Amino acid sequence: MATSNNSPKKPSLNSSSSSVSRPPQAVKFGRRTSSGRVLSLSRDDDMDLSGDFSGNNDYANYTVLMPPTPDNQPMESGAAVDNKPDGGGQYGVPTRVGMTRRVGSDQEGGGMEEKRMSVMQSNKSILLRSQTGDFDHNRWLFETKGTYGIGNAFWSKDDEQYGNTSGVSLSDFLDKPWKPLTRKVQIPAGILSPYRDAMWLWAMSTVCETWFAFSWLLDQLPKLNPINRSTDLAALRDKFEQPSPSNPHARSDLPGVDVFVSTADPDKEPPLVTANTILSILAVEYPVEKLSCYISDDGAAILIFEAMAEAVNFAEVWVPFCRKHNIEPRNPDSYFSLKTDPTKNKKRPDFVKDRRWIKREYDEFKVRINGLPEVIRRRCETHNNNEEMKEKKLATEKNGGEPPAEPLKVVKATWMADGTHWPGTWFNPIADHFKGDHAGILQVMSKVPPPDPVMGHPDDKVLDFTGVDIRIPMFAYVSREKRPGFDHNKKAGAMNAMVRASAILSNGPFILNLDCDHYVYNSMAVREGMCFMMDRGGDRVCYIQFPQRFEGIDPSDRYANHNTVFFDGNMRALDGLQGPVYVGTGCMFRRYALYGFHPPRSYEYSGMFGQRKTKAPNLQDSQEDSETEPLSGHPDLDLPKKFGNSSMFTESIAVAEFQGRPLADHMSVQNGRPPGALIAPRLPLDAQTVAEAVAVISCWYEDKTEWGDRIGWIYGSVTEDVVTGYRMHNRGWRSIYCITKRDAFRGTAPINLTDRLHQVLRWATGSVEIFFSRNNVLLASPRLKFLQRIAYLNVGIYPFTSIFLVVYCFLPAISLLTGQFIVQSLNTAFLCYLLIITITLALLALLEVKWSGIGLEEWWRNEQFWVIGGSSAHLAAVLQGLLKVLAGIEISFTLTSKSAAEDEDDIFADLYVIKWTSLFIMPLTIIVVNIVALVIGISRTVYSVLPQWNKLVGGSFFSFWVLSHMYPFAKGLMGRRGRMPTIVYVWTGLISITVSLLWISVSPPDDGK
C-alpha cells in the first residue's frame, strides 16, 4: 500500500560525498509498529530531488512498507548501482525496488504519465550484524518496537530515539554486537478488550441485560413460597346451618354478602350480558335473606334500567329452576350454550320438560331485551307527540283559537313505562339529563325476602316448584348523582357510592364485586370464600381474591388473554406471603377493612430484609380526640374519621364489624362473635331508609371527607384496584387467593388486538402512576412484609422495562446492518455461556410450569405478548405517566369493549377486526427493521470478499428470535384467517431487496466486513 507524500525541500542529493554511494531515493521503506505508527527504514527521511531528477514536473515520494522476509532484505554495502539489477533477482542479493510517478502536465506533448524504475543501493545499514553483515531483523524489532504490517505513516525525527524519554538513539548501537536478554511482551488487545470493534453495541446489550436481570429478580423473589388452599363446605354447613342450642330452628348464622356489579355504557357493555350476570348472582347457593345485589349504572341509561327490570321478572322462574335441578352454570346464556349432554346426572323425570319450557322463556326474554331500544324509542315518540299536541292546543287557546305563527319548541324527553320522565340521561340530552349531569337514582326492584323459605306449588302456567324455595335476593338499581364541576372519580367513585348505599339498605359485612361481564360460574363460590373469612384467624383477612377465567377466547389464545402465568403463577405465589394483589373483579371484601380500619392483630417487620418480626401496637385502643395530631409515623396507619354527615351510615360501621367476625365456638378463636347472633330476621325497608340511601349517593356527600383517600376505593389512579389492595396490606391486613376446583367466576376478554393493547395500556399507565405517587412501595409502612414489598415494587416498575426491551429488539438489526457483533466470533466459550444461561432459564420456567399447572403453549404465548405489549402499550404508558407527572396532562380512560363484531356466525369474528391505533407503530417498526436488516446482512455477507458467516449467524439468530415473538402481532395485522393480499408480500420483498442493494452500494463490503 503506497500513498503520496509531498515533502518540503531538503539539502541537495548531488553533493560529492553522497552522489555515488547514495543515489536519490524515490521510495522510502518503513514498518508499522505495535502502536500503529510507521518507522522509517531509510537513512534519509526527506530528500531533495534535483539535478537529473529535477525538471519542470514535480515528483511525489511514496512510502512502501515491505516486511523483511528473506527475499526482501537491504542490499549489502558496496553493491554497484546501475540502471538494472546487478546480481539481484529472484535468487540473488535482495533488492529494493522503488517506483516514481510523474505528476503534472506533459510539456513535450506526451500527455502520458512517465514511469521510471530504479534499483537503488542502500547505505551502510546501522543494523547490520557485526560478524556476518546481514540485516539483524530481531534487533531491529526490539529496538524500534516494530511489528509486521502494511500501512503508511510519516515519522518525525524524535521517533528515532529508543523509547520515549530515555534519550538513547539508534546510533548508540552501531558498533555494539549487543543482543537483549529480555523483552516486554504486551498482552494482546483482543484479550483485554474483546469487544473493542463493537464497544457501543456491547455496551447497549450489557445495559439492557442488566435491567432485565433486575426485573427478573423482582419477578422471581416473591415466588419463593407458593402455596395451595382448599375449603371444607360440609364443615361450614355444619357450623352455621345446623340446629344447635343457640339456633334451634336451623336458620343460617352466616353473615350477609352484598354483591356489586358496575356498568357505564350500554353500547360497549350490552344489557343482555349484564342481565345474565345478574341472573347468575341471584341464583347462587347462599341464604337468600343474607344476599343482596346492587348494580351501578354510571351512565344513568334507561336501557340498563329496563333491562334489569326484565331480568328480575325472569329471575322469578329461573332461580327456582336452578335450585330444583341443581343447574351449573347459572348464567342462562352459558348454560344453554354448553356442548355437553344437559341430561347428565339429572334424575328428576320432569327435567326435560322443565328445561324445554325455561329455554323458550329465555329466548323470549332475549327478544324482549334486544327489542328494548325500539320499544323505548316508540314510547318516547308517542309521549313526545302527545306533549306537542297539548302544547299546540294550549297555544291555540291562548291565541284566540288560531294556531301560533311560530313553531313551538317542545323538549324531546325520554319516558319511563309508567309515563313519567326518566331522571337520568335522555336520548336527546338537555340540562339535568345528560351524562355528567343528572339526579341520583335508586330503585329497589326486588324487595327484601322473608327470613323463612317460601315453597312453590304446582302451576299450569309455570313450572312445578313444589318443595323448592322460590324467594329471590334483594336487588337494587343505583345511579349516583352527577353534576358539572364535581370530580366523580370514574369507577372508584361509583363503587364508593354503592358502598354507602348498601350500608344503609342491607349492610352486609362482606362485599363481592364483579364486572358486568363476569358471571358466577360456580354457585358455591360465595360459600368457599366465606370458609376463609369465618375460619380461625379470618378476622385478619381483608379480601378473598378469586382467579379470573375467560370465555370466548380463540383456541390458540393469540394475545394471551387467559393470562394464566399471572393468575396461576404469580398470584398463587403471593398467597404464601401477605396475599395476592387486588385485580378489580372477582374479589370478596371485608367491609370494615374497606372503611380504612386496621386489623385486630398485625405485625411490624424491621431490618434490611424484614427479618425481625414484632407485634404492632393496636392504634384503635389509643385513638386520640385531636384530628390534627397523627396517630403514627405513617399516614396509612392513621384511623379514618370523616365518613360524611349521615348518622345512619356511621352507626352501620360497628354493626358490620361485629357481624364480620368468625364464630367464637372454640377457645383458640380470637375476636369472635357468639353463635346465633345473626339469625335474627332483617327489617323491611321503609321510605326513610331509602331516602337516606339516595342522600349518600349525592355528588356533594364526599366533600370534606376521607372517601377515596383513606376510606373505600382509592382515587387518583386508573388502576384503583391495585392501590386499594395495597393500602389494606400497608395497614397490616392479609389477603387470600381462593382457587376453586370449579371456576368461581367467568367473564369475557377483548380478543381484538387494538382493544387488548388498550386494556394493557390502562393497566401499565396505572402502574406508572403508582410509581410516581405516595403509593410507591418505597414509602410503605413497616407492616408490609419484605417480599410483599418486592412484589408491589415490581407492579410499579415493570412498564419501564419497555424502554430497554425496545432497544434490545433493535440490537440484532443494528448488528446485521453494521456487520458487527457483540463478540468477535461465535467461539466455543460464547456458545457454551449462552447455552448455560438458556438452559438455566428454561429449567426455571419448567419448574414454574410444573408447580403452577401452566401449559407450555400458554407460557410461550405469555412470553410473546410480553414483547408485543412491552414494545407498544407499556412504552406508551411510560410516556403518558411522565406527561402526567411532569406536565400535568391527564390520562384519558378508554372503556374496554365487551361487544363482538358484526359477524354473528363466527364467535371469533372480533379477532380479525383491524382497528388502527398509534400503539401499532413501534412493533411494526421493529418487524420491518429486522426483516430489512436480515436481507441486508445476507447480501453483505454473500458479496463480501471475506464473508464472516459467524457474525451473520449470530445476528440472524437473535433477529429471528425477535420476529418469532412478534408473530402474533403480525398475524393480527393480516386480518381474517391470515389472508394478506399478495401485493403486500410483493411490495415487502421489493422494498427489502431495494434497500439492501442501496445499502451495499453506499457501504460496500470490504475484506473486514
Side-chain angles (χ1 to χ4, degrees), residues 15 17-18 91 118 127 134 234 284 499 580 688 695 704 709 733 994:
S15 60
S17 61
S18 60
Y91 303 102
S118 63
L127 297 176
D134 296 335
V284 297
V499 170
Q688 182 181 0
K704 298 180 181 180
D709 180 32
W733 293 94
T994 303

Side-chain angles (χ1 to χ4, degrees), residues 79-152:
V81 179
D82 206 316
N83 292 332
K84 61 183 179 179
D86 185 9
Q90 186 175 3
Y91 303 102
V93 180
T95 62
R96 279 194 265 179
V97 181
M99 180 177 71
T100 64
R101 182 168 64 113
R102 182 181 291 264
V103 182
S105 60
D106 192 352
Q107 295 196 359
E108 296 184 4
M112 300 283 293
E113 295 184 353
E114 180 180 352
K115 299 182 180 178
R116 297 185 181 183
M117 299 294 294
S118 63
V119 180
M120 297 170 291
Q121 176 184 5
S122 173
N123 296 328
K124 182 176 180 180
S125 176
I126 64 174
L127 297 176
L128 297 179
R129 299 181 187 269
S130 59
Q131 292 85 359
T132 61
D134 296 335
F135 179 76
D136 193 346
H137 173 252
N138 290 332
R139 180 179 177 185
W140 179 85
L141 281 177
F142 178 79
E143 295 171 356
T144 64
K145 300 180 181 180
T147 57
Y148 292 110
I150 303 299
N152 187 17

Side-chain angles (χ1 to χ4, degrees), residues 580-893:
V581 298
Y582 168 42
V583 293
T585 184
C587 186
M588 179 186 292
F589 283 98
R590 182 181 298 275
R591 183 183 289 268
Y592 187 70
L594 266 178
Y595 289 158
F597 291 99
H598 299 167
R601 301 173 307 282
S602 60
Y603 298 92
E604 293 185 351
Y605 305 90
S606 57
M608 180 176 295
F609 302 106
Q611 66 273 18
R612 291 191 295 272
K613 178 180 177 181
T614 58
K615 188 175 181 180
N618 191 353
L619 299 180
Q620 283 137 337
D621 297 337
S622 60
Q623 184 172 2
E624 309 229 356
D625 296 333
S626 174
E627 296 184 0
T628 59
E629 183 177 355
L631 296 176
S632 66
H634 196 279
D636 283 348
L637 299 182
D638 296 340
L639 294 178
K641 300 176 182 178
K642 301 178 181 179
F643 291 94
N645 58 4
S646 174
S647 59
M648 190 177 296
F649 174 81
T650 306
E651 293 171 358
S652 69
I653 297 176
V655 176
E657 189 277 331
F658 175 78
Q659 294 181 354
R661 296 180 182 181
L663 203 62
D665 58 347
H666 193 270
M667 59 181 300
S668 62
V669 177
Q670 303 182 43
N671 193 37
R673 59 175 172 85
L678 302 183
I679 62 175
R682 290 170 53 186
L683 298 176
L685 299 177
D686 53 13
Q688 182 181 0
T689 303
V690 176
E692 186 72 13
V694 174
V696 298
I697 63 173
S698 61
C699 58
W700 49 263
Y701 184 83
E702 294 184 356
D703 289 347
K704 298 180 181 180
T705 66
E706 294 177 320
W707 285 97
D709 180 32
R710 184 173 287 111
I711 305 172
W713 271 260
I714 306 301
Y715 301 155
S717 175
V718 296
T719 53
E720 69 287 334
D721 45 7
V722 178
V723 177
T724 302
Y726 163 74
R727 290 289 188 87
M728 295 182 183
H729 285 147
N730 215 19
R731 297 184 186 109
W733 293 94
R734 65 162 295 113
S735 57
I736 300 294
Y737 196 55
C738 180
I739 300 181
T740 57
K741 186 175 181 180
R742 177 183 175 88
D743 294 342
F745 310 101
R746 283 193 177 182
T748 59
I751 61 176
N752 179 264
L753 178 59
T754 303
D755 295 336
R756 174 69 165 140
L757 289 179
H758 283 163
Q759 184 186 57
V760 175
L761 173 63
R762 183 172 65 88
W763 296 341
T765 303
S767 296
V768 176
E769 291 177 342
I770 292 173
F771 183 80
F772 288 111
S773 69
R774 55 167 290 196
N775 298 309
N776 192 315
V777 75
L778 299 177
L779 308 176
S781 74
R783 298 190 180 187
L784 201 65
K785 290 184 177 181
F786 173 74
L787 291 181
Q788 193 78 15
R789 291 172 183 264
I790 298 298
Y792 275 113
L793 181 62
N794 187 37
V795 170
I797 279 182
Y798 81 88
F800 295 94
T801 305
S802 61
I803 300 174
F804 303 91
L805 180 62
V806 169
V807 174
Y808 207 73
C809 288
F810 281 111
L811 287 181
I814 296 175
S815 175
L816 291 170
L817 293 174
T818 60
Q820 296 177 335
F821 197 57
I822 55 176
V823 293
Q824 289 182 330
S825 61
L826 296 179
N827 52 25
T828 305
F830 174 76
L831 293 177
C832 290
Y833 170 77
L834 185 62
L835 182 63
I836 291 173
I837 294 296
T838 304
I839 292 177
T840 303
L841 295 177
L843 291 177
L844 288 174
L846 289 176
L847 177 63
E848 183 177 346
V849 165
K850 183 176 179 61
W851 64 256
S852 62
I854 304 170
L856 288 177
E857 183 179 3
E858 294 173 326
W859 176 83
W860 173 239
R861 283 286 182 254
N862 183 80
E863 293 295 312
Q864 286 180 314
F865 194 77
W866 176 75
V867 176
I868 296 172
S871 59
S872 57
H874 294 176
L875 184 62
V878 173
L879 297 178
Q880 287 187 1
L882 293 177
L883 287 175
K884 181 178 181 180
V885 173
L886 300 178
I889 301 177
E890 288 295 330
I891 301 169
S892 59
F893 169 71

Side-chain angles (χ1 to χ4, degrees), residues 28 84 86 143 169 189 195 211 251 328 346 415 473 525 541 572 588 598 612 671 752 797 915 936 956 987 1004:
K28 296 190 292 183
K84 61 183 179 179
D86 185 9
E143 295 171 356
S169 63
Y195 311 106
W211 179 265
R251 286 183 176 177
E328 292 287 354
K346 298 296 183 290
W415 297 80
V541 177
R572 183 178 293 178
M588 179 186 292
H598 299 167
R612 291 191 295 272
N671 193 37
N752 179 264
I797 279 182
K915 295 180 286 187
I936 292 176
S956 301
W987 276 107

Side-chain angles (χ1 to χ4, degrees), residues 892-905:
S892 59
F893 169 71
T894 302
L895 186 64
T896 304
S897 176
K898 274 77 176 179
S899 59
E902 295 180 357
D903 187 2
E904 297 182 359
D905 296 334

Side-chain angles (χ1 to χ4, degrees), residues 43 48 58 110 120 172 226 271 327 366 455 460 535 540 555 670 698 728 730 834 898 901 939:
R43 189 65 170 174
D48 183 15
D58 296 331
M120 297 170 291
D172 297 334
I327 298 300
K366 288 196 298 183
M455 299 302 176
D460 294 338
D535 200 7
R540 298 175 52 208
Q670 303 182 43
S698 61
M728 295 182 183
N730 215 19
L834 185 62
K898 274 77 176 179
S939 303

